[in-house]
Amino acid sequence: MKLFKWLTNTKTSFPAPSSNLSDKPISFLPASEESLADAAISNRLAANRERIDHTFINCSDIITLSWSYGSDMQYEAYSVYAKTLIQKKEFNAFKETLKDLVEGSPPPDVDVTPQTVSYYFSRHAASSKSADIIESFPEAVDAILEGNIVIFFDQWNCALSYKAVGLETRQVTESVTEPVVQGPRESTVESISKNLGMLRLRLKSPDLKIITLPPSGRTKTTVAYSYLQGAVNPEVLAEFERRMTKLCDWDILETSYIEEILEDSTYSPFPQFRYTERTDVATAALLEGKIIVLVDGTGSMLICPSFLVEMLQSSEDYYQRTVVASLIRLLRIFAVLIALGLPSLYIAFSTFHSELIPTVLLIAVINSREGIPFPAVIEAFIMEFLFELLREAGIRLPRPVGSAVSIVGALVIGEASINAGIASPIMVIIVALTGIASFAIPQYNFAYGLRLLRFPIMLFAAFLGIFGILIAFLLIWLHLANLRSLGQPYLSPIGPFYPKQMKDVFIRAPLRTLMRSPRTMKNDKPQH
């Protein structure tokens, strides 16, 4: 009964810490990794406390509390938690543990001993708070770093872990990188559990498989991947899982780390995987047989494998009418050609093939270039460099002033360049059109690749004219034909040619013909 009276008089908040690890002398030696390897929890409470103090030396946010319990307070326990991770509302995990023991299987007049604790929790008796039993010391350390409260008991070689993490996370809002006029507005957040929950809510099927990988590296970042059984290609899934085994010792901080591990060609300017922050896009990809990779702490999801034609598709294509969506998709293809080759065409025509320009237009070009001290290729390089510099500065500046600086800077520099005789008006127009066309590409990482390729194509045009542009495009096409995404052809379904899948490439066919995920239809074989 003494124990029950002590419980009712105990305050619900944490008492002052009995030991603050920041008071220890500062040491620049790291905690021994060997002490964690295959280390079981000791029966002696003092030994466990010594390990904790040694592991978290110089960690001022790790709080340790000593407790006494039993009829005469003759037994000791010890709880550890990170005050920077647990929830703001105070939760006395040790008091909840004793309440479970008193109000549970043992009657109140029976003394609570370490053996009672072991018997009660090892058999998973019903408790007010869900507690996990930890049997090894490395697991206890990981639980503390994940925001749990861990309690060690004397004379018991296990520990109890209570979930108490309470960090504030970003709420679900509209996607910033993939805005739409029509369609769902929710986007992913930095919590992997919320992201997986939104996927599960959209795709309510037991065939949706979610695999969570064990934490690796020093960051202990949670990585998960998801696929739809029956839709995913087993060979692609096996190749994906084989490559994911390389994650064992990596310190993963963002989804792009996974991309570099999985991709076939690291030095290719073309991305082999897509990113998305939209759950509807991820769900559609799962239905098409894709694999979705999620990393805790980042809102971007990786879609693999991905192909060239998918880089020009937007989720809004499937929310618009067929004719409108098809015209917009053709407009994007035309924008890719402009972003990639318009400056090169100007260089080639003005330098080598002026006879192909209509006379009136040729006279206008000659008049606009009068007084320009540089050849067309140098002029183009200068203006492209300045435009890319302005675009990068606009991204890095604070959002309220970034767009204003980009627009005003482009106008001022363009006008100043014309007045100073550094660039012609037609070159300013060409550079502006090229930049606008690159903004029309849905996938930002794909647009980066086009911006990178634009400069070597300009060099080919400066040396060989239109023939140089044809050679450059031929080399790019050969590279694309040789490129793979998780072992699958990057140009699919164009090469190899799948005729039934072409209805969702250049145009978007009516949805009634696309409901069976055309890219995964088993009866569609390539035509040779």
Side-chain angles (χ1 to χ4, degrees):
M1 297 298 294
K2 292 182 181 180
L3 172 62
F4 187 79
K5 292 179 181 178
W6 176 80
L7 279 172
T8 57
N9 294 328
T10 303
K11 295 182 179 180
T12 58
S13 60
F14 282 126
S18 61
S19 172
N20 194 331
L21 296 177
S22 62
D23 297 332
K24 296 182 179 297
I26 297 177
S27 171
F28 294 96
L29 295 176
S32 174
E33 300 267 343
E34 296 179 358
S35 63
L36 299 180
D38 300 326
I41 296 176
S42 174
N43 284 321
R44 295 174 52 249
L45 190 64
N48 293 328
R49 180 160 190 161
E50 183 179 354
R51 287 182 183 178
I52 288 290
D53 292 345
H54 178 69
T55 302
F56 294 106
I57 190 171
N58 298 330
C59 298
S60 59
D61 63 327
I62 303 299
I63 303 301
T64 60
L65 301 171
S66 296
W67 307 90
S68 298
Y69 67 100
S71 57
D72 296 323
M73 304 298 170
Q74 70 271 36
Y75 303 114
E76 294 184 352
Y78 175 76
S79 61
V80 189
Y81 66 94
K83 67 179 182 180
T84 52
L85 296 178
I86 67 168
Q87 55 194 1
K88 291 183 179 180
K89 65 176 185 178
E90 298 183 356
F91 161 58
N92 193 324
F94 188 73
K95 180 179 178 181
E96 294 293 333
T97 302
L98 294 181
K99 276 186 177 181
D100 292 337
L101 294 173
V102 171
E103 300 173 359
S105 55
D109 56 345
V110 175
D111 188 17
V112 177
T113 65
Q115 291 74 24
T116 307
V117 176
S118 172
Y119 180 87
Y120 185 83
F121 286 97
S122 61
R123 282 158 179 76
H124 304 285
S127 56
S128 58
K129 296 288 183 179
S130 178
D132 296 325
I133 298 178
I134 298 177
E135 299 180 353
S136 67
F137 192 77
E139 292 180 7
V141 173
D142 291 341
I144 295 170
L145 296 177
E146 289 173 1
N148 298 343
I149 298 176
V150 177
I151 304 177
F152 297 91
F153 293 87
D154 197 15
Q155 304 177 30
W156 191 27
N157 62 346
C158 293
L160 295 179
S161 173
Y162 288 91
K163 192 73 173 179
V165 63
L167 289 179
E168 295 293 332
T169 57
R170 182 169 61 93
Q171 299 300 314
V172 177
T173 57
E174 186 174 354
S175 176
V176 177
T177 59
E178 298 174 273
V180 295
V181 177
Q182 183 177 351
R185 303 302 176 92
E186 68 178 11
S187 68
T188 53
V189 294
E190 282 70 28
S191 173
I192 190 173
S193 58
K194 287 185 179 181
N195 297 337
L196 290 172
M198 286 189 286
L199 284 181
R200 179 68 74 179
L201 190 62
R202 282 191 172 273
L203 193 53
K204 304 179 185 69
S205 171
D207 291 332
L208 176 61
K209 308 302 179 182
I210 297 175
I211 311 297
T212 302
L213 302 179
S216 62
R218 287 169 292 183
T219 60
K220 303 296 182 183
T221 305
T222 302
V223 178
Y225 64 92
S226 177
Y227 61 91
L228 188 63
Q229 188 174 1
V232 67
N233 188 332
E235 296 179 359
V236 174
L237 180 61
E239 178 64 18
F240 170 83
E241 292 177 340
R242 184 189 67 81
R243 299 187 187 187
M244 287 293 284
T245 57
K246 301 176 183 178
L247 283 178
C248 54
D249 296 324
W250 278 59
D251 295 324
I252 304 298
L253 297 178
E254 213 271 338
T255 317
S256 57
Y257 287 49
I258 310 293
E259 180 185 11
E260 288 209 14
I261 296 174
L262 295 176
E263 63 185 358
D264 294 66
S265 179
T266 303
Y267 298 103
S268 173
F270 295 96
Q272 289 115 69
F273 305 107
R274 285 187 293 158
Y275 287 94
T276 184
E277 292 180 350
R278 299 179 56 87
T279 54
D280 59 329
V281 175
T283 305
L286 288 169
L287 292 171
E288 291 181 353
K290 308 290 185 180
I291 304 170
I292 307 297
V293 183
L294 303 94
V295 176
D296 196 19
T298 178
S300 298
M301 294 183 289
L302 196 66
I303 301 176
C304 42
S306 297
F307 307 127
L308 176 67
V309 296
E310 297 171 355
M311 300 297 174
L312 303 178
Q313 298 174 357
S314 172
S315 61
E316 204 168 8
D317 293 349
Y318 303 94
Y319 305 139
Q320 300 282 358
R321 297 176 64 247
T322 301
V323 176
V324 176
S326 300
L327 289 176
I328 293 176
R329 187 171 292 181
L330 292 174
L331 184 64
R332 291 197 200 105
I333 297 174
F334 188 60
V336 169
L337 299 177
I338 293 177
L340 197 57
L342 185 59
S344 305
L345 284 175
Y346 173 75
I347 294 171
F349 281 114
S350 62
T351 306
F352 293 96
H353 313 289
S354 56
E355 69 278 1
L356 298 178
I357 305 176
T359 305
V360 178
L361 180 59
L362 179 61
I363 294 173
V365 171
I366 293 174
N367 291 335
S368 66
R369 285 193 47 81
E370 186 177 358
I372 304 299
F374 307 110
V377 62
I378 302 298
E379 180 188 6
F381 264 96
I382 292 175
M383 296 307 298
E384 287 287 349
F385 173 77
L386 292 177
F387 186 84
E388 294 294 335
L389 190 61
L390 279 173
R391 176 153 49 180
E392 194 67 20
I395 295 174
R396 306 305 165 196
L397 284 172
R399 186 171 298 176
V401 299
S403 58
V405 169
S406 299
I407 296 172
V408 175
L411 293 174
V412 171
I413 290 180
E415 185 67 24
S417 301
I418 294 172
N419 294 333
I422 297 176
S424 60
I426 191 171
M427 177 55 71
V428 175
I429 295 174
I430 288 175
V431 171
L433 286 175
T434 304
I436 293 172
S438 65
F439 290 141
I441 300 172
Q443 287 293 319
Y444 190 69
N445 54 350
F446 184 73
Y448 258 125
L450 298 183
R451 289 161 59 184
L452 179 64
L453 289 173
R454 187 187 307 152
F455 293 97
I457 296 176
M458 290 164 57
L459 288 177
F460 272 90
F463 286 105
L464 298 173
I466 194 68
F467 300 103
I469 296 176
L470 293 176
I471 292 173
F473 272 85
L474 179 61
L475 293 176
I476 292 173
W477 193 255
L478 289 175
H479 171 70
L480 291 173
N482 190 52
L483 195 59
R484 297 288 185 272
S485 178
L486 277 182
Q488 303 302 304
Y490 193 63
L491 288 180
S492 179
I494 301 174
F497 184 59
Y498 293 88
K500 292 184 180 180
Q501 298 179 14
M502 294 299 294
K503 64 183 79 172
D504 194 26
V505 177
F506 300 110
I507 61 171
R508 200 270 286 170
L511 287 178
R512 61 177 176 270
T513 65
L514 300 177
M515 296 304 292
R516 290 188 57 200
S517 301
R519 295 191 183 91
T520 57
M521 293 176 67
K522 304 293 188 299
N523 59 349
D524 188 14
K525 300 298 182 183
Q527 302 295 320
H528 300 287

